[in-house]
DNA sequence: CCGCATCCATCGGGATACTG
DNA sequence: CAGTATCCCGATGGATGCGG
Protein backbone atom coordinates (compact mmCIF):
# COMPACT_ATOMS: atom_id res chain seq x y z
CA UNK A 1 0.00 0.00 0.00
CA UNK A 2 1.18 3.48 -0.83
CA UNK A 3 1.70 5.25 2.45
CA UNK A 4 1.25 8.74 1.03
CA UNK A 5 -2.29 8.43 -0.20
CA UNK A 6 -3.07 5.09 1.47
CA UNK A 7 -4.23 3.70 -1.82
CA UNK A 8 -4.65 -0.05 -1.74
CA UNK A 9 -3.88 -0.91 -5.31
CA UNK A 10 -0.34 0.29 -5.57
CA UNK A 11 -0.09 -0.58 -9.24
CA UNK A 12 -2.44 2.28 -10.02
CA UNK A 13 -1.15 4.79 -7.53
CA UNK A 14 0.06 8.08 -8.98
CA UNK A 15 2.27 8.99 -6.05
CA UNK A 16 5.40 7.30 -7.48
CA UNK A 17 5.60 9.90 -10.22
CA UNK A 18 5.58 12.83 -7.85
CA UNK A 19 9.36 12.90 -7.99
CA UNK A 20 9.70 13.20 -11.73
CA UNK A 21 6.72 15.51 -11.97
CA UNK A 22 8.46 17.80 -9.53
CA UNK A 23 11.39 17.84 -11.90
CA UNK A 24 9.57 18.39 -15.16
CA UNK A 25 7.42 21.07 -13.64
CA UNK A 26 10.39 23.30 -12.96
CA UNK A 27 9.62 26.37 -14.93
CA UNK A 28 11.80 25.84 -18.01
CA UNK A 29 12.37 22.08 -18.07
CA UNK A 30 9.83 21.33 -20.77
CA UNK A 31 11.24 24.00 -23.03
CA UNK A 32 14.80 22.81 -22.56
CA UNK A 33 13.88 19.20 -23.23
CA UNK A 34 11.99 20.23 -26.34
CA UNK A 35 14.90 22.36 -27.53
CA UNK A 36 17.20 19.35 -27.26
CA UNK A 37 14.85 16.96 -29.02
CA UNK A 38 16.55 17.24 -32.39
CA UNK A 39 20.23 17.99 -31.91
CA UNK A 40 22.75 18.65 -29.16
CA UNK A 41 22.90 22.34 -28.36
CA UNK A 42 25.33 24.65 -26.65
CA UNK A 43 24.50 26.67 -23.57
CA UNK A 44 23.94 29.93 -25.39
CA UNK A 45 21.99 28.30 -28.16
CA UNK A 46 19.51 26.99 -25.63
CA UNK A 47 19.47 30.36 -23.96
CA UNK A 48 18.75 32.15 -27.23
CA UNK A 49 16.12 29.60 -28.19
CA UNK A 50 14.16 30.16 -25.03
CA UNK A 51 14.84 33.86 -24.86
CA UNK A 52 13.70 35.14 -21.50
CA UNK A 53 15.48 32.67 -19.24
CA UNK A 54 18.13 34.01 -16.90
CA UNK A 55 21.58 32.41 -16.87
CA UNK A 56 21.29 31.24 -13.30
CA UNK A 57 17.99 29.56 -13.92
CA UNK A 58 19.20 27.88 -17.08
CA UNK A 59 22.26 26.70 -15.23
CA UNK A 60 20.21 25.21 -12.43
CA UNK A 61 17.79 23.63 -14.84
CA UNK A 62 20.58 21.96 -16.80
CA UNK A 63 22.19 20.68 -13.61
CA UNK A 64 18.97 19.18 -12.39
CA UNK A 65 18.35 17.50 -15.72
CA UNK A 66 21.86 16.14 -15.82
CA UNK A 67 21.56 14.92 -12.25
CA UNK A 68 18.34 13.13 -13.15
CA UNK A 69 20.06 11.45 -16.06
CA UNK A 70 17.84 13.09 -18.65
CA UNK A 71 20.51 15.08 -20.46
CA UNK A 72 24.25 14.75 -20.96
CA UNK A 73 26.87 17.45 -20.70
CA UNK A 74 29.78 17.15 -23.10
CA UNK A 75 32.77 19.43 -22.74
CA UNK A 76 35.22 19.93 -25.57
CA UNK A 77 38.54 21.33 -24.43
CA UNK A 78 38.71 24.18 -26.84
CA UNK A 79 39.25 27.90 -26.70
CA UNK A 80 36.81 29.44 -26.52
CA UNK A 81 35.23 26.70 -24.43
CA UNK A 82 32.51 24.63 -25.99
CA UNK A 83 29.88 22.70 -24.04
CA UNK A 84 27.10 20.75 -25.64
CA UNK A 85 23.97 19.35 -24.05
CA UNK A 86 22.05 16.42 -25.47
CA UNK A 87 19.23 14.12 -24.47
CA UNK A 88 20.10 10.75 -22.94
CA UNK A 89 18.13 7.63 -23.79
CA UNK A 90 16.23 8.11 -20.58
CA UNK A 91 15.40 11.65 -21.61
CA UNK A 92 14.07 10.50 -24.95
CA UNK A 93 11.97 7.83 -23.29
CA UNK A 94 10.55 10.41 -20.93
CA UNK A 95 9.41 12.50 -23.87
CA UNK A 96 7.72 9.45 -25.36
CA UNK A 97 6.04 8.70 -22.06
CA UNK A 98 4.65 12.23 -22.06
CA UNK A 99 2.99 12.02 -25.47
CA UNK A 100 -0.37 10.80 -24.12
CA UNK A 101 -0.39 13.74 -21.76
CA UNK A 102 0.25 16.15 -24.62
CA UNK A 103 -2.63 14.60 -26.53
CA UNK A 104 -4.91 14.79 -23.53
CA UNK A 105 -4.14 18.49 -23.15
CA UNK A 106 -4.87 19.13 -26.82
CA UNK A 107 -8.19 17.32 -26.62
CA UNK A 108 -9.11 19.32 -23.57
CA UNK A 109 -8.26 22.60 -25.24
CA UNK A 110 -10.48 21.70 -28.15
CA UNK A 111 -13.37 20.89 -25.85
CA UNK A 112 -12.91 24.18 -24.06
CA UNK A 113 -13.07 26.12 -27.28
CA UNK A 114 -16.11 24.24 -28.50
CA UNK A 115 -18.06 24.74 -25.33
CA UNK A 116 -17.04 28.17 -24.14
CA UNK A 117 -15.48 29.86 -27.11
CA UNK A 118 -12.23 30.36 -25.23
CA UNK A 119 -9.56 28.52 -23.36
CA UNK A 120 -10.78 28.41 -19.82
CA UNK A 121 -8.18 26.43 -17.92
CA UNK A 122 -4.51 26.94 -17.34
CA UNK A 123 -4.68 30.61 -16.60
CA UNK A 124 -5.63 32.04 -13.25
CA UNK A 125 -5.21 29.21 -10.80
CA UNK A 126 -6.55 29.68 -7.34
CA UNK A 127 -4.01 31.53 -5.30
CA UNK A 128 -3.29 31.27 -1.64
CA UNK A 129 -5.62 33.20 0.55
CA UNK A 130 -3.44 36.11 1.56
CA UNK B 1 6.17 27.31 -34.05
CA UNK B 2 6.13 27.23 -30.29
CA UNK B 3 7.31 30.62 -29.13
CA UNK B 4 8.48 29.43 -25.74
CA UNK B 5 11.12 26.99 -26.86
CA UNK B 6 11.13 27.98 -30.53
CA UNK B 7 10.67 24.38 -31.55
CA UNK B 8 9.75 24.03 -35.20
CA UNK B 9 7.60 20.93 -35.05
CA UNK B 10 4.86 22.07 -32.79
CA UNK B 11 3.20 18.66 -32.80
CA UNK B 12 6.07 17.32 -30.70
CA UNK B 13 6.58 20.29 -28.45
CA UNK B 14 6.24 19.65 -24.73
CA UNK B 15 5.49 23.23 -23.80
CA UNK B 16 1.69 22.83 -24.10
CA UNK B 17 1.65 20.56 -21.07
CA UNK B 18 3.45 23.02 -18.83
CA UNK B 19 0.10 24.23 -17.57
CA UNK B 20 -1.24 20.90 -16.44
CA UNK B 21 2.16 19.80 -15.19
CA UNK B 22 2.22 22.85 -12.98
CA UNK B 23 -1.07 21.68 -11.56
CA UNK B 24 -0.24 18.03 -11.00
CA UNK B 25 3.10 18.96 -9.48
CA UNK B 26 1.47 20.76 -6.61
CA UNK B 27 2.60 18.82 -3.63
CA UNK B 28 -0.49 16.76 -2.86
CA UNK B 29 -2.37 16.67 -6.16
CA UNK B 30 -1.26 13.17 -7.12
CA UNK B 31 -2.25 11.79 -3.75
CA UNK B 32 -5.65 13.45 -3.86
CA UNK B 33 -6.37 12.22 -7.37
CA UNK B 34 -5.31 8.74 -6.38
CA UNK B 35 -7.47 8.85 -3.27
CA UNK B 36 -10.49 9.68 -5.39
CA UNK B 37 -9.83 7.01 -7.97
CA UNK B 38 -12.30 4.52 -6.52
CA UNK B 39 -15.10 6.37 -4.78
CA UNK B 40 -16.23 9.87 -3.95
CA UNK B 41 -14.79 11.00 -0.64
CA UNK B 42 -15.53 13.67 1.89
CA UNK B 43 -13.11 16.38 2.91
CA UNK B 44 -12.02 14.76 6.14
CA UNK B 45 -11.77 11.35 4.58
CA UNK B 46 -9.26 12.66 2.08
CA UNK B 47 -7.48 14.46 4.87
CA UNK B 48 -7.25 11.33 6.98
CA UNK B 49 -6.17 9.26 4.00
CA UNK B 50 -3.24 11.49 3.28
CA UNK B 51 -2.49 12.21 6.89
CA UNK B 52 0.05 15.00 7.02
CA UNK B 53 -1.67 17.54 4.82
CA UNK B 54 -2.75 20.82 6.39
CA UNK B 55 -6.35 21.98 6.00
CA UNK B 56 -5.37 25.11 4.10
CA UNK B 57 -3.31 23.17 1.63
CA UNK B 58 -6.00 20.56 1.10
CA UNK B 59 -8.50 23.33 0.60
CA UNK B 60 -6.36 25.05 -2.01
CA UNK B 61 -5.58 21.78 -3.73
CA UNK B 62 -9.25 20.87 -4.01
CA UNK B 63 -10.13 24.32 -5.32
CA UNK B 64 -7.46 24.14 -7.96
CA UNK B 65 -8.55 20.68 -9.06
CA UNK B 66 -12.15 21.77 -9.23
CA UNK B 67 -11.21 24.87 -11.16
CA UNK B 68 -9.29 22.71 -13.63
CA UNK B 69 -12.32 20.51 -14.09
CA UNK B 70 -10.59 17.42 -12.74
CA UNK B 71 -12.82 16.86 -9.71
CA UNK B 72 -16.38 17.72 -8.77
CA UNK B 73 -17.65 19.15 -5.52
CA UNK B 74 -21.08 17.96 -4.40
CA UNK B 75 -22.77 19.54 -1.44
CA UNK B 76 -25.63 17.86 0.39
CA UNK B 77 -27.64 20.25 2.50
CA UNK B 78 -27.52 18.31 5.70
CA UNK B 79 -26.56 18.90 9.27
CA UNK B 80 -23.79 18.29 9.88
CA UNK B 81 -22.75 19.45 6.42
CA UNK B 82 -21.64 16.84 3.94
CA UNK B 83 -19.46 17.55 0.94
CA UNK B 84 -18.21 14.89 -1.41
CA UNK B 85 -15.46 15.12 -3.98
CA UNK B 86 -15.26 12.87 -7.01
CA UNK B 87 -13.29 12.59 -10.21
CA UNK B 88 -14.77 14.05 -13.38
CA UNK B 89 -14.41 12.31 -16.71
CA UNK B 90 -11.56 14.64 -17.49
CA UNK B 91 -9.89 13.67 -14.24
CA UNK B 92 -10.17 10.00 -15.06
CA UNK B 93 -8.76 10.57 -18.51
CA UNK B 94 -5.86 12.47 -17.02
CA UNK B 95 -5.00 9.49 -14.85
CA UNK B 96 -5.06 7.27 -17.91
CA UNK B 97 -2.82 9.69 -19.78
CA UNK B 98 -0.35 9.46 -16.92
CA UNK B 99 0.00 5.68 -16.96
CA UNK B 100 2.95 5.66 -19.41
CA UNK B 101 4.73 8.08 -17.12
CA UNK B 102 4.13 5.82 -14.14
CA UNK B 103 5.56 2.91 -16.07
CA UNK B 104 8.56 4.91 -17.18
CA UNK B 105 9.32 5.83 -13.58
CA UNK B 106 9.04 2.21 -12.49
CA UNK B 107 11.38 1.05 -15.24
CA UNK B 108 13.85 3.71 -14.25
CA UNK B 109 13.76 2.71 -10.59
CA UNK B 110 14.47 -0.88 -11.54
CA UNK B 111 17.46 0.14 -13.63
CA UNK B 112 18.80 2.20 -10.76
CA UNK B 113 18.60 -0.71 -8.39
CA UNK B 114 20.24 -3.07 -10.82
CA UNK B 115 23.14 -0.76 -11.52
CA UNK B 116 23.81 0.92 -8.22
CA UNK B 117 22.04 -1.14 -5.60
CA UNK B 118 19.99 1.83 -4.55
CA UNK B 119 17.61 4.41 -5.84
CA UNK B 120 19.77 7.27 -7.01
CA UNK B 121 17.39 9.84 -8.40
CA UNK B 122 14.57 11.79 -6.87
CA UNK B 123 16.35 12.66 -3.67
CA UNK B 124 18.81 15.52 -3.39
CA UNK B 125 18.21 17.71 -6.37
CA UNK B 126 20.65 20.45 -7.02
CA UNK B 127 19.73 23.40 -4.94
CA UNK B 128 20.21 27.04 -5.70
CA UNK B 129 23.63 28.35 -4.95
CA UNK B 130 23.02 30.36 -1.82
C1' DC C 1 31.83 31.44 -24.24
C1' DC C 2 30.16 29.36 -20.11
C1' DG C 3 28.80 29.98 -16.40
C1' DC C 4 28.93 31.39 -10.84
C1' DA C 5 27.89 34.98 -6.98
C1' DT C 6 24.91 38.11 -4.97
C1' DC C 7 20.70 40.47 -3.91
C1' DC C 8 15.85 40.45 -3.88
C1' DA C 9 10.70 39.53 -4.61
C1' DT C 10 7.32 36.12 -4.76
C1' DC C 11 4.97 31.94 -3.66
C1' DG C 12 3.72 27.42 -1.95
C1' DG C 13 2.95 25.12 1.99
C1' DG C 14 3.13 23.96 7.35
C1' DA C 15 1.04 24.87 12.13
C1' DT C 16 -2.48 26.43 14.67
C1' DA C 17 -6.63 28.59 16.12
C1' DC C 18 -11.14 29.69 14.94
C1' DT C 19 -16.12 29.78 12.55
C1' DG C 20 -20.93 28.65 10.17
C1' DC D 1 -18.02 18.64 9.50
C1' DA D 2 -15.90 21.58 6.29
C1' DG D 3 -13.44 24.67 5.85
C1' DT D 4 -11.14 30.04 6.73
C1' DA D 5 -7.67 33.34 9.02
C1' DT D 6 -3.17 34.29 10.45
C1' DC D 7 1.63 33.88 10.90
C1' DC D 8 5.84 31.97 9.32
C1' DC D 9 9.51 29.83 6.65
C1' DG D 10 12.15 27.84 2.84
C1' DA D 11 12.63 27.40 -2.02
C1' DT D 12 12.28 29.28 -6.68
C1' DG D 13 13.41 32.29 -10.04
C1' DG D 14 14.52 37.19 -11.97
C1' DA D 15 18.34 40.85 -12.59
C1' DT D 16 22.82 41.99 -12.70
C1' DG D 17 27.78 41.89 -12.34
C1' DC D 18 32.08 39.20 -12.25
C1' DG D 19 35.50 35.29 -13.41
C1' DG D 20 38.05 31.40 -15.94
Amino acid sequence: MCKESNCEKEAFCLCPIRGIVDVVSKKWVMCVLTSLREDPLRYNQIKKNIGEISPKTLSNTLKTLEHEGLIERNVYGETPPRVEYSLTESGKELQIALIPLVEWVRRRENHDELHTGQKSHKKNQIKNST
Side-chain angles (χ1 to χ4, degrees), chain A:
Chain A
M1 170 188 309
C2 158
K3 51 194 179 325
E4 289 182 300
S5 65
N6 279 322
C7 67
E8 316 276 343
K9 316 197 172 165
E10 202 163 341
F12 299 115
C13 180
L14 290 175
C15 297
I17 62 178
R18 275 179 57 191
I20 193 64
V21 169
D22 265 4
V23 173
V24 298
S25 75
K26 277 173 69 89
K27 185 164 181 187
W28 297 107
V29 163
M30 294 296 184
C31 298
V32 171
L33 288 181
T34 296
S35 293
L36 295 176
R37 184 192 293 271
E38 310 268 328
D39 310 290
L41 289 182
R42 305 172 62 171
Y43 182 90
N44 275 335
Q45 289 177 311
I46 302 174
K47 189 157 170 12
K48 205 165 61 178
N49 253 2
I50 296 182
E52 336 140 54
I53 192 172
S54 77
K56 186 188 79 175
T57 303
L58 179 55
S59 223
N60 284 337
T61 303
L62 292 170
K63 269 185 200 158
T64 301
L65 291 178
E66 189 192 359
H67 186 79
E68 291 291 327
L70 300 175
I71 66 173
E72 258 176 8
R73 184 174 184 274
N74 293 100
V75 186
Y76 302 88
E78 304 175 359
T79 347
R82 175 159 145 250
V83 183
E84 281 190 352
Y85 296 90
S86 57
L87 287 181
T88 61
E89 278 310 307
S90 188
K92 293 175 189 169
E93 288 164 11
L94 171 60
Q95 300 200 338
I96 294 172
L98 287 175
I99 290 178
L101 189 59
V102 176
E103 289 167 351
W104 175 83
V105 169
R106 293 198 192 283
R107 281 200 305 275
R108 204 161 76 123
E109 285 173 352
N110 289 339
H111 290 172
D112 285 356
E113 284 162 11
L114 284 179
H115 290 312
T116 69
Q118 57 176 348
K119 305 188 181 185
S120 67
H121 303 297
K122 71 176 11 176
K123 344 184 170 186
N124 53 354
Q125 292 181 33
I126 306 292
K127 33 183 60 176
N128 268 355
S129 49
T130 47

